[in-house]
Amino acid sequence: EKDGKIFVAMPGVPFEMKEMMNNFVLPKIEEKLGKDHEYLLIKNLLTTGIPESFLYDKLGNLDELLEGAKLAFLPSQFGVKMRINVWAKNEEEAKNKLSGIEQKIRALVGRYIYGTNDELLEQVIGKLLNERGLRLSVAESCTGGLISNRLTNIPGSSEFFERGYVTYSNAAKVELLNVSEDTIAQFGAVSSQVAMQMAQGVRAACATDLGISVTGIL
């Protein structure tokens, strides 16, 4: 404690940190501050497919939207996390306030929100595929199997994931995915036209409901 502030240093291992936070840190802080302090509730809305600046613009006037709550934009290579912090007199009031703010945010940018809190994009995709009874195959170039790896790290992925191809060379794209040599020559291996033929080719080769592909330069 220093100058009326409480500082807590936590270990980086998530499991240990959460246990210590719930069983030691929060009770100690509550004991120190007393029962009359405001109740804090935090929720993360996870987005993808939209840059931070565009997201900010679409939300409009944040003061009107949040009504005293706080919203942080936390961008990463996988998307932008929106962290909502709500303060209230008790848990029920905080939940109601948070729910209202979340509904307003979803009304404005809901098409970009894929999950909440600690959910992973691949977990959400796997759940949707399982619910719909769909199977997926993947064709990758520059990612070298990364997409397939993330999907197969999900428990139960065998229910929706059929197989993946790493077609790094042009010859592999032509031989395994039936990509047209003329298309590669005309548009280049890193093009939407080739990506489309890769997705169509892997879907046909694996007889799956869906095919996804990626091509690019690293």
Side-chain angles (χ1 to χ4, degrees):
E1 295 183 40
K2 184 176 182 180
D3 299 330
K5 302 292 191 301
I6 299 174
F7 297 84
V8 181
M10 303 294 292
V13 181
F15 177 78
E16 294 179 0
M17 181 273 292
K18 291 176 182 178
E19 288 295 314
M20 293 175 68
M21 178 65 73
N22 291 327
N23 298 325
F24 180 78
V25 176
L26 292 180
K28 286 292 183 181
I29 291 177
E30 188 172 75
E31 177 184 323
K32 182 72 178 179
L33 298 179
K35 296 290 185 178
D36 296 328
H37 62 278
E38 288 188 323
Y39 189 90
L40 170 63
L41 198 59
I42 300 173
K43 187 169 187 178
N44 296 316
L45 300 180
L46 311 174
T47 73
T48 191
I50 182 171
E52 177 186 0
S53 58
F54 286 27
L55 196 59
Y56 183 90
D57 290 341
K58 285 183 176 294
L59 291 178
N61 189 319
L62 292 184
D63 291 334
E64 293 181 4
L65 178 72
L66 298 172
E67 299 178 356
K70 297 295 183 181
L71 180 64
F73 296 87
L74 307 171
S76 72
Q77 60 179 321
F78 301 116
V80 180
K81 178 190 297 183
M82 293 186 290
R83 176 170 295 164
I84 309 169
N85 290 7
V86 170
W87 291 265
K89 294 179 180 179
N90 52 60
E91 183 177 5
E92 182 179 0
E93 183 180 329
K95 285 183 176 180
N96 291 336
K97 187 174 181 180
L98 179 60
S99 177
I101 293 171
E102 181 180 354
Q103 289 177 20
K104 289 190 288 185
I105 291 176
R106 287 184 179 274
L108 294 169
V109 296
R111 62 175 296 186
Y112 302 104
I113 298 173
Y114 68 83
T116 60
N117 295 326
D118 297 324
E119 286 184 302
L120 299 174
L121 181 57
E122 53 265 37
Q123 288 177 322
V124 176
I125 291 173
K127 181 180 178 181
L128 291 172
L129 291 172
N130 278 335
E131 289 175 350
R132 289 158 174 75
L134 300 174
R135 292 188 64 78
L136 173 70
S137 54
V138 177
E140 303 183 56
S141 178
C142 60
T143 48
L146 177 61
I147 296 174
S148 297
N149 175 257
R150 290 187 61 179
L151 287 169
T152 53
N153 279 335
I154 303 301
S157 58
S158 59
E159 296 295 322
F160 64 83
F161 185 82
E162 171 63 30
R163 74 188 75 168
Y165 288 82
V166 178
T167 53
Y168 202 73
S169 67
N170 289 344
K173 294 177 178 64
V174 173
E175 179 182 347
L176 298 175
L177 304 177
N178 200 32
V179 174
S180 168
E181 292 183 355
D182 292 337
T183 300
I184 295 175
Q186 182 177 356
F187 299 103
V190 183
S191 64
S192 60
Q193 291 84 357
V194 168
M196 179 63 74
Q197 288 191 11
M198 288 173 64
Q200 293 170 338
V202 76
R203 179 187 177 192
C206 301
T208 52
D209 304 289
L210 301 169
I212 185 172
S213 72
V214 59
T215 182
I217 298 174
L218 294 179

